[in-house]
Every structure is written in structure tokens, then in C-alpha cells.
Amino acid sequence: MRFNWKEYYSIAEQLFNNPGQVSSSPEAVYRLVISRAYYSVFVQSRNYLRDVIGLKIPKRDVHRYVSQTFTDSQNQTSIKTGIRLIKLSAYRNLADYEDNLFEAKSVAQKALRLALQVATDLDKL
């Protein structure tokens, strides 16, 4: 049975709304929210390109490939999807690699909003 990647978004949203439900600092929770929100729609986007469009997805630079494939499209919804994936990827890189993440809650909220927009865009395509 294939994993439903939308569940990552659901978990991220639940954690954002109740960061005290886990025994970690709020910043750690918000970092996790950002990361899971990104991966939820990144994998959905990758799978769309692979399963619906029929593209062969490379092993190297797959994140860049997915977002660039959307932004290189002539379709406005696809272009918006690619731009949103790029922004989400930047947030995810901050959350996963930077020692200092200022306004983590605000970034997490933006990440959730962008991820929801990407999921909505994918449903339109």
C-alpha cells in the first residue's frame, strides 16, 4: 500500500496547532512542522510528475528538478506550484540546517500555507 503523503501535512498542522503535545521545545516543533509541510507536497509534486506526466525523475538534484520542471511550464498553475516549492524548500533548509531560526512559528505558519496552496494547485492540474 502506498503511503499517503498528505498525512505529513496533517501531522504538521496538528503539531503547529498544539506544539505542547510533544515534549520538545516549541522551536523544535515548528522546525519539524516546516520540514514535514515541505516534504508532504514535495513528494506529491514529484509523484505527479512521475505518475501523471510520465517523467523519469533523476536521483541527483531531485528537489531542484521537481521545482524547475514546474516553473519551466507554460501553465500558470504549474509555474506558481514551482515557485511555492522553491520558497518551501528555502524554509525547509533553514529549519533543517540553520542553528538560528528567527520567528520559527511565523515561518512554520507560512510553510503550512504554502504547502496547502501547492496541494490545491496539484489537485487543479
Side-chain angles (χ1 to χ4, degrees), residues 47-62:
N47 291 354
Y48 172 83
L49 293 176
R50 183 192 66 203
D51 301 340
V52 177
I53 303 299
L55 298 178
K56 181 170 173 33
I57 307 298
K59 299 282 186 208
R60 297 174 58 91
D61 293 326
V62 65

Side-chain angles (χ1 to χ4, degrees), residues 60-82:
R60 297 174 58 91
D61 293 326
V62 65
H63 295 266
R64 182 177 301 127
Y65 174 83
V66 168
S67 59
Q68 187 169 1
T69 300
F70 280 98
T71 58
D72 287 349
S73 172
Q74 299 299 313
N75 179 290
Q76 290 301 310
T77 301
S78 291
I79 293 168
K80 288 178 186 177
T81 299

Side-chain angles (χ1 to χ4, degrees), residues 1-121:
M1 185 163 110
R2 290 180 92 171
F3 180 68
N4 179 358
W5 294 98
K6 292 179 181 182
E7 288 185 44
Y8 268 9
Y9 180 86
S10 178
I11 291 169
E13 188 175 46
Q14 289 172 43
L15 286 171
F16 180 82
N17 291 326
N18 298 296
Q21 66 185 326
V22 294
S23 60
S24 295
S25 71
E27 181 177 344
V29 172
Y30 294 134
R31 285 173 180 264
L32 181 66
V33 166
I34 295 163
S35 185
R36 295 306 89 187
Y38 169 73
Y39 276 107
S40 170
V41 292
F42 164 73
V43 177
Q44 289 178 69
S45 300
R46 181 204 64 193
N47 291 354
Y48 172 83
L49 293 176
R50 183 192 66 203
D51 301 340
V52 177
I53 303 299
L55 298 178
K56 181 170 173 33
I57 307 298
K59 299 282 186 208
R60 297 174 58 91
D61 293 326
V62 65
H63 295 266
R64 182 177 301 127
Y65 174 83
V66 168
S67 59
Q68 187 169 1
T69 300
F70 280 98
T71 58
D72 287 349
S73 172
Q74 299 299 313
N75 179 290
Q76 290 301 310
T77 301
S78 291
I79 293 168
K80 288 178 186 177
T81 299
I83 291 168
R84 290 173 176 142
L85 284 169
I86 291 167
K87 288 179 184 177
L88 270 169
S89 179
Y91 290 154
R92 200 265 313 166
N93 283 330
L94 286 172
D96 287 350
Y97 300 113
E98 295 299 322
D99 291 331
N100 298 307
L101 178 60
F102 300 102
E103 299 187 25
K105 183 177 182 179
S106 175
V107 176
Q109 188 173 35
K110 291 175 188 175
L112 285 170
R113 186 174 36 237
L114 281 170
L116 185 59
Q117 289 170 330
V118 169
T120 300
D121 288 347

